Amino acid sequence: MPTYKAPLDHYRFLINEVFDVAQLARLPGMEDFGPDVISSVLEEAARLAEHEIQPLNLPGDAEGCRYENGTVTTPKGFKQAYDRLCGGGWTGLTAETRYGGQGLPHVAGTAFEEMMSSANMAFGMFPGLSQGAYRAILNHGTDDQKDLYLPMLASGVWSGTMCLTESQCGTDLGLIRTKAIPAEDGSFRITGSKIFISAGEHDLTENIIHLVLAKLPDAPSGVKGISLFVVPKFMPVPNGNAWKAGTRNGVRCGSIEHKMGIKASPTCVINFDEATGWLVGEPHKGMRAMFTMMNAARLGVAMQGLGAAEVAYQNALTYANDRLQGRALKGPAAPAKPADPIIVHPDVRRTLLTIKAFTEGARALSVWVGMQLDIMHANPDPHAKQEAEDLLALMTPVLKAYFTDAGFESANMAMQVYGGHGYIHEWGMEQFVRDARITQIYEGANGIQALDLVGRKLPQNTGRLLRRFFHPVQQFCESNAADPTLAEFVVPVAKALGKLQYATVTVAQKGMANPDEAGAASSDYLRLFALVAMGYMWARMAKGATEKRPQAGERAPFSPARLRTARFFMARVLPEAEMRFRQVMAGGKSMMDMPADEFAA
Amino acid sequence: MKILVPVKRVIDYNVRIRVKPDHSGVETANVKMSMNPFDEIAVEEAVRLKEKGKATEVVAVSIGPAQAQDTLRTAMAIGADRALQILADGDIEPLAVAKILKAVAGREAPQMVILGKQAIDDDSAQTGQMLAALLGWPQATFASTVEITEDRVLVTREVDGGHQTLELTLPAVVTTDLRLNEPRYASLPNIMKAKKKPLESLPVAEFGVDTSPRLTLVKVEEPSVRQAGKRVQSVAELVDKLRNEAKVI
Ligand SMILES: Cc1cc2nc3c(=O)[nH]c(=O)nc-3n(C[C@H](O)[C@H](O)[C@H](O)COP(=O)(O)OP(=O)(O)OC[C@H]3O[C@@H](n4cnc5c(N)ncnc54)[C@H](O)[C@@H]3O)c2cc1C
């Protein structure tokens, strides 16, 4: 059975030594959430994840969800664990206090998402999707809709879904066929069939609130003709100060998919048959509303990638210390034993360190970006708000695609450490690989994230978003380049940043003349971008690990392991930036010249 | 009724303990610390008694370094109403702890003190008993159930060979065993509330107790590694090995 320990030390290091998380507590409304409170919250979250959620992961995968007559049964123990989550207030961790949430900073929320994903990715999807529904209604719903749905979603008594995909459209939502016909009372009758709807039907909550993309009768064609609706499984009826589930709406689950991973998360066909729904936001502006939901959800999916890598790493590390096989190349390391533990072998070390360099760097990046969410929400200064929003918009596709690609690669590498045993179910490693794979696909396939970065985020406001990233990196490099202990980290990052800036100009120029050039460069460009961001994080962590601060408690901030991992990152991971740079610069001609029929030649 | 719950900050039970190279103790630098698990059970029990309406106030107390504040906040997140921190550095032996607690009991006048049967760091299992003796109160150790009736407390104890039930008059000292209850997960609102509950810090000097150690620690060693087993070919060989190698017969 695989095990899991939440990376609390790493979070404490990031919160106390690398980032000024204390600044969040100076924002209005956030006074109660200093780093110490965030630490205590994460500690309790870790206990829940380790003792209640993680033990359900492997059996949940074996059992899966069951479909019968329109109802879905989740694996044993899921309901109890879910109730415990609700009882502790965890489903409303970052939800607004006026809607019954706990109002904690998003930094704590993203950390919690990592822990949930490591412990049990399929389980974590239930509260995760409710979050998405919560955000969409919060940002675009009417006051009545907010008062009705938000407290029920924050408390976890009801759950949410996002219903976008149909059989003929996933990426290109302009092709949606689901119809919404206005009724006399101001509501709408929704009819159509959605597929692949996560948590579309289950037995954890008394009601399920679907957020559905559909077209009004007068809708223009394409994405400009899509509207967003809220469609509850049961009609809400008042119940004292709250609401309860009333009569059944015309929403039914037709079947669930048999699939590669996250088997404990039901992926449903949801049929709407003249179901009653209400418009959220303005007519035909559904895509905009959906994007609010998707931006938060994309960060959540990024954390799933990181979470899978982390838990796979922890187990691979234990195994590498236990498994005796072969001898160290320079002579036995454990002569008393029949063979050396495989962690002596350079190739096993390369594998482990590649994962470690990813998880720690990515975690730092998630804290940095998570803080932008908090600044955006709570900072009264419009300039600071805008800056945070820009950086967030820029980094979201980078984190989504890079964390999930590298997360899957990491889980796969961790499985390799187990040799043949990694391929066997009971060790749990193959499940991490299977579960992680979907993160590269849903919430916008990673190729689409790359297009979002190159096509939308780069040109936005004549490159203003980009400057929000380039400036702090440049500034950090300049002000620390003279520090002899930091030079070994700062110099390679500064060089990679130079390459990224050069590539950016090239992509922008070539893409303007020929959009295929931008598309051809996009995935490699995104990876190059991510590697520079990771380098920046590792340089900052190296700084945090070498500076002794007077206010540090008994936990010495000095950490040789972090410096060594930072060195590995610079020596063995960052060089990939060179390759990506050359791929970007090579342009798209070699792929666009090929006629479609020659692909089969 | 007021309940006093002493809690100790110890190395987390999940941490693999390492002995310092000079054998002067175990490594505590950079090691995760938590509330002693038996004390967590004590806090949980006190809070449950309060929730059942049997107790009116639960006061947590900890004797130790400044960082023991975290442990007290944890106790308040479970449900203790307020906390008392007694600042003391270095090793405080059970007798000194019991004397300080006696002084605290004098100040607070609780009807009951519930504490862990032992702390998992040095496994002394002495504090509760010594405290009861110093206070002249009845004691029930290793409790697996605690029930309050009027001015008495019924305690079931786990003893070799079964269960023993004692009836004590209050005030009394009770120490907890593992099966008394399963401590809850602190809810988010309670974690937040705990930060605002009163926590009073006092220097140990204020209690006039001599805390200097009465024992000298000679040496701390790792348990010896278990030798791998051997398969013997015959009974004769077994007898020979037991007699000449193991020297047990
Ligand atoms: C387990 C699971 C859970 C899911 N949960 C949900 C859910 O809760 N709600 C929901 O609405 N959906 C959900 N989905 C659907 C998921 O979001 C879609 O599958 C995904 O968006 C891709 O759409 P598609 O499958 O139609 O692929 P397609 O859109 O057909 O894409 C196929 C490939 O072509 C590429 N491609 C497509 N268009 C372009 C383009 N313009 N430029 C470059 N490349 C392009 C894509 O990157 C992809 O690699 C889920 C899917 C799965 C498998």
Side-chain angles (χ1 to χ4, degrees):
Chain A
M1 280 277 271
T3 58
Y4 172 63
K5 289 233 84 61
L8 288 173
D9 274 355
H10 289 288
Y11 273 111
R12 277 195 208 102
F13 170 70
L14 293 170
I15 287 172
N16 295 317
E17 310 298 336
V18 183
F19 299 105
D20 181 16
V21 171
Q23 67 166 296
L24 298 181
R26 292 192 289 273
L27 297 174
M30 307 259 280
E31 296 83 357
D32 286 344
F33 307 122
D36 58 326
V37 175
I38 296 179
S39 279
S40 333
V41 166
L42 294 187
E43 235 167 79
E44 201 61 17
R47 288 202 336 148
L48 260 178
E50 292 165 7
H51 303 301
E52 299 295 323
I53 317 280
Q54 192 271 342
L56 304 176
N57 193 39
L58 194 69
D61 178 62
E63 189 183 336
C65 288
R66 264 172 306 135
Y67 174 85
E68 206 177 341
N69 255 336
T71 66
V72 172
T73 313
T74 54
K76 217 166 124 235
F78 270 47
K79 172 76 179 143
Q80 196 193 349
Y82 181 81
D83 288 346
R84 194 156 253 175
L85 215 59
C86 299
W90 298 96
T91 46
L93 184 69
T94 56
E96 280 60 23
T97 47
R98 66 179 180 281
Y99 296 118
Q102 308 301 328
L104 270 144
H106 290 273
V107 171
T110 43
F112 182 64
E113 278 167 4
E114 186 201 328
M115 291 181 201
M116 282 291 120
S117 306
S118 283
N120 192 331
M121 189 189 289
F123 178 86
M125 302 219 8
F126 292 100
L129 282 149
S130 297
Q131 272 258 348
Y134 177 96
R135 295 274 150 221
I137 297 176
L138 178 72
N139 289 304
H140 304 282
T142 62
D143 285 344
D144 283 349
Q145 286 170 347
K146 290 186 210 177
D147 291 341
L148 196 175
Y149 294 109
L150 298 185
M152 300 308 285
L153 289 169
S155 65
V157 177
W158 293 356
S159 65
T161 73
M162 342 193 345
C163 300
L164 292 67
T165 308
E166 297 178 10
S167 58
Q168 77 290 355
C169 65
T171 301
D172 186 358
L173 295 170
L175 304 175
I176 276 178
R177 290 195 196 123
T178 299
K179 288 258 169 297
I181 313 291
E184 275 172 13
D185 61 358
S187 67
F188 294 81
R189 298 287 164 272
I190 316 285
T191 302
S193 186
K194 296 284 177 180
I195 65 164
F196 294 168
I197 306 310
S198 300
E201 174 63 37
H202 57 80
D203 55 0
L204 300 185
T205 58
E206 61 169 49
N207 202 357
I208 300 173
I209 309 306
H210 302 283
L211 282 157
V212 186
L213 287 186
K215 290 195 151 181
L216 291 165
D218 60 342
S221 66
V223 285
K224 294 207 161 66
I226 298 172
S227 307
L228 181 64
F229 297 87
V230 57
V231 185
K233 174 178 163 188
F234 292 102
M235 304 302 272
V237 288
N239 179 28
N241 286 333
W243 295 80
K244 65 179 182 200
T247 52
R248 182 79 193 234
N249 200 355
V251 186
R252 289 247 162 4
C253 175
S255 62
I256 60 174
E257 305 294 342
H258 302 276
K259 58 190 193 292
M260 179 180 183
I262 52 166
K263 288 175 188 278
S265 165
T267 307
C268 309
V269 170
I270 299 287
N271 297 315
F272 297 90
D273 185 9
E274 303 222 326
T276 304
W278 290 270
L279 186 67
V280 178
E282 290 169 54
H284 316 313
K285 296 270 168 69
M287 278 313 278
R288 246 189 57 213
M290 211 59 180
F291 268 118
T292 327
M293 186 150 146
M294 287 204 293
N295 273 334
R298 281 176 178 173
L299 282 182
V301 174
M303 297 316 280
Q304 289 186 325
L306 169 56
E310 173 64 32
V311 70
Y313 173 76
Q314 290 184 12
N315 287 281
L317 175 61
T318 308
Y319 194 79
N321 279 303
D322 288 348
R323 177 69 172 174
L324 306 180
Q325 207 75 185
R327 287 293 182 191
L329 294 171
K330 288 206 295 196
K337 293 183 177 167
D340 286 338
I342 57 173
I343 197 164
V344 302
H345 305 307
D347 194 58
V348 172
R349 295 176 149 248
R350 176 191 60 83
T351 307
L352 288 172
L353 273 167
T354 304
I355 310 174
K356 187 172 167 64
F358 164 64
T359 55
E360 290 179 34
R363 189 169 299 117
L365 206 45
S366 76
V367 169
W368 189 50
V369 171
M371 282 173 66
Q372 308 308 315
L373 261 171
D374 290 313
I375 296 168
M376 182 179 110
H377 286 303
N379 201 319
D381 171 17
H383 180 73
K385 227 183 183 47
Q386 185 65 55
E387 232 178 67
E389 195 177 335
D390 287 352
L391 191 56
L392 190 67
L394 178 70
M395 298 308 288
T396 298
V398 177
L399 264 62
K400 196 287 177 176
Y402 177 65
F403 282 22
T404 59
D405 281 347
F408 173 76
E409 288 159 22
S410 295
N412 204 20
M413 283 189 280
M415 178 174 139
Q416 190 77 7
V417 171
Y418 276 69
H421 302 275
Y423 202 70
I424 307 301
H425 181 259
E426 69 200 47
W427 286 97
M429 301 305 283
E430 56 90 40
Q431 186 195 349
F432 298 141
V433 177
R434 284 186 288 107
D435 285 357
R437 188 62 184 84
I438 185 60
T439 62
Q440 297 167 283
I441 299 171
Y442 60 22
E443 282 307 330
N446 284 357
I448 304 307
Q449 304 298 324
L451 279 185
D452 178 43
L453 177 66
V454 168
R456 215 167 324 177
K457 304 297 165 62
L458 295 201
Q460 208 163 318
N461 296 89
T462 56
R464 188 182 76 203
L465 271 54
L466 274 178
R467 290 193 291 278
R468 307 290 194 208
F469 175 74
F470 288 163
H471 281 179
V473 183
Q474 208 147 15
Q475 221 162 37
F476 178 88
C477 290
E478 277 162 18
S479 55
N480 291 288
D483 185 329
T485 53
L486 292 182
E488 62 172 313
F489 307 109
V490 171
V491 173
V493 174
K495 277 192 188 150
L497 175 66
K499 291 258 153 87
L500 174 63
Q501 287 172 320
Y502 194 91
T504 305
V505 175
T506 311
V507 170
Q509 281 172 350
K510 281 198 199 169
M512 204 99 76
N514 176 4
D516 275 345
E517 280 296 332
S522 60
S523 282
D524 296 311
Y525 177 83
L526 184 144
R527 187 74 165 217
L528 170 60
F529 201 114
L531 287 164
V532 173
M534 290 282 282
Y536 172 48
M537 290 299 120
W538 270 115
R540 286 187 69 167
M541 284 195 281
K543 188 172 182 184
T546 44
E547 252 178 25
K548 284 246 181 203
R549 302 199 179 167
Q551 75 270 27
E554 66 181 329
R555 261 168 202 294
F558 178 78
S559 155
R562 289 205 175 84
L563 285 184
R564 291 206 171 95
T565 314
R567 272 183 206 121
F568 178 87
F569 179 87
M570 299 301 162
R572 304 292 303 233
V573 182
L574 191 57
E576 190 191 334
E578 297 272 340
M579 179 185 88
R580 298 291 177 176
F581 173 72
R582 291 185 54 186
Q583 288 168 328
V584 170
M585 298 306 289
K589 195 167 170 353
S590 59
M591 59 188 88
M592 298 317 289
D593 272 358
M594 185 98 148
D597 58 357
E598 273 184 33
F599 279 79
Chain B
M1 180 177 83
K2 188 194 280 189
I3 302 177
L4 186 70
V5 186
V7 295
K8 185 177 186 184
R9 179 175 181 271
V10 299
I11 296 183
D12 188 84
Y13 73 100
N14 276 312
V15 171
R16 203 150 84 199
I17 304 287
R18 277 182 327 226
V19 170
K20 284 186 187 162
D22 65 357
H23 298 283
S24 65
V26 299
E27 202 62 76
T28 54
N30 275 322
V31 169
K32 184 174 180 225
M33 309 292 280
S34 300
M35 190 191 300
N36 176 36
F38 291 106
D39 300 349
E40 215 177 315
I41 294 169
V43 178
E44 175 69 33
E45 194 64 20
V47 171
R48 286 188 191 182
L49 288 172
K50 189 184 166 191
E51 286 166 351
K52 280 188 218 146
K54 302 285 185 188
T56 49
E57 192 184 25
V58 177
V59 182
V61 54
S62 189
I63 302 157
Q67 297 90 334
Q69 265 203 24
D70 293 345
T71 313
L72 288 168
R73 294 278 175 213
T74 306
M76 292 192 285
I78 297 172
D81 298 290
R82 61 188 172 86
L84 196 58
Q85 177 181 33
I86 294 155
L87 288 162
D89 284 320
D91 265 344
I92 315 284
E93 288 174 1
L95 182 58
V97 171
K99 286 179 177 170
I100 298 167
L101 289 177
K102 180 189 177 213
V104 173
R107 249 180 63 139
E108 294 283 345
Q111 284 294 94
M112 191 148 74
V113 180
I114 309 183
L115 65 172
K117 69 169 181 179
Q118 68 197 69
I120 60 165
D121 49 2
D122 47 24
D123 281 333
S124 299
Q126 296 169 356
T127 305
Q129 294 89 326
M130 287 174 167
L131 174 63
L134 290 170
L135 287 166
W137 291 2
Q139 60 173 292
T141 52
F142 313 153
S144 62
T145 65
V146 173
E147 228 176 291
I148 303 222
T149 57
E150 297 295 306
D151 56 344
R152 276 153 203 274
V153 55
L154 271 181
V155 176
T156 307
R157 310 177 61 229
E158 296 189 352
V159 292
D160 293 348
H163 290 106
Q164 179 189 49
T165 304
L166 300 179
E167 189 180 57
L168 321 180
T169 51
L170 293 171
V173 174
V174 173
T175 77
T176 61
D177 213 330
L178 215 50
R179 274 165 292 274
L180 177 57
N181 61 49
E182 204 180 307
R184 70 193 68 189
Y185 292 93
S187 72
L188 277 173
N190 286 343
I191 295 172
M192 246 83 91
K193 265 187 230 150
K195 301 285 164 184
K196 295 187 172 154
K197 288 182 179 174
L199 188 153
E200 188 185 356
S201 270
L202 296 168
V204 69
E206 220 155 277
F207 293 85
V209 173
D210 174 14
T211 58
S212 53
R214 291 160 185 248
L215 306 173
T216 314
L217 188 109
V218 182
K219 193 175 180 191
V220 176
E221 272 186 285
E222 304 243 358
S224 56
V225 184
R226 231 175 116 217
Q227 298 293 320
K230 272 185 207 142
R231 194 181 286 268
V232 292
Q233 299 301 326
S234 64
V235 175
E237 192 191 345
L238 174 66
V239 171
D240 174 67
K241 283 202 187 300
L242 288 175
R243 178 165 296 141
N244 299 318
E245 267 181 42
K247 298 197 195 334
V248 291
I249 54 173

